[in-house]
Amino acid sequence: LSGSDDTNIRMWKARSSEKIGQLSAREESSLQYRQALVQKYSHLPEVKRIHKARRVPKFIKKETEQAMVQKEKRRRKETNVIKHSKPGTQKYTDEKGKVVVKTVD
């Protein structure tokens, strides 16, 4: 379970590819057979590679990469500002500290 500020609650599946809801007997037996095959041939490199692979849509992958580049840019700029300013005028704040708005004692 996870929640957000707008009071939405999200439930996450342990295995994202699994179907939600009840499976028919035929679907259940097919799923068990496929899992048994994966377990039986898990020592083979081809099966290992396919089993470990997690396909991510191209759009999400590109957006994630772009977000990482932007985050690195911001960090580098902040470091340079601190480095080239008068000592004591600029202060370094960590990423977790930036999120905190107010502390109450």
Side-chain angles (χ1 to χ4, degrees):
L1 290 174
S2 69
S4 62
D5 293 339
D6 54 350
T7 64
N8 286 333
I9 296 175
R10 295 175 191 87
M11 284 185 67
W12 300 89
K13 296 189 284 182
R15 288 175 286 282
S16 61
S17 61
E18 281 187 0
K19 190 175 169 183
I20 295 178
Q22 192 148 5
L23 300 175
S24 68
R26 190 174 190 161
E27 286 175 322
E28 183 68 36
S29 64
S30 172
L31 188 65
Q32 286 176 354
Y33 176 69
R34 278 186 268 134
Q35 287 174 346
L37 281 177
V38 168
Q39 208 167 22
K40 182 177 180 180
Y41 295 107
S42 62
H43 64 282
L44 297 175
E46 296 89 8
V47 177
K48 271 186 194 174
R49 185 178 53 80
I50 293 169
H51 186 66
K52 285 194 311 186
R54 296 288 179 262
R55 188 194 176 286
V56 178
K58 188 176 184 179
F59 176 75
I60 293 173
K61 192 172 183 180
K62 290 285 184 187
E63 289 292 315
T64 305
E65 288 172 5
Q66 188 176 5
M68 292 296 288
V69 167
Q70 290 172 350
K71 189 175 181 181
E72 180 61 31
K73 178 187 169 192
R74 271 188 255 114
R75 190 194 61 74
R76 192 172 57 243
K77 182 168 184 156
E78 184 180 320
T79 305
N80 286 340
V81 166
I82 292 169
K83 196 185 295 182
H84 295 287
S85 62
K86 197 179 226 182
T89 56
Q90 297 287 333
K91 197 169 118 184
Y92 177 76
T93 55
D94 59 336
E95 293 295 318
K96 289 184 180 179
K98 289 178 184 175
V99 179
V100 177
V101 177
K102 181 179 173 184
T103 56
V104 179
D105 291 330

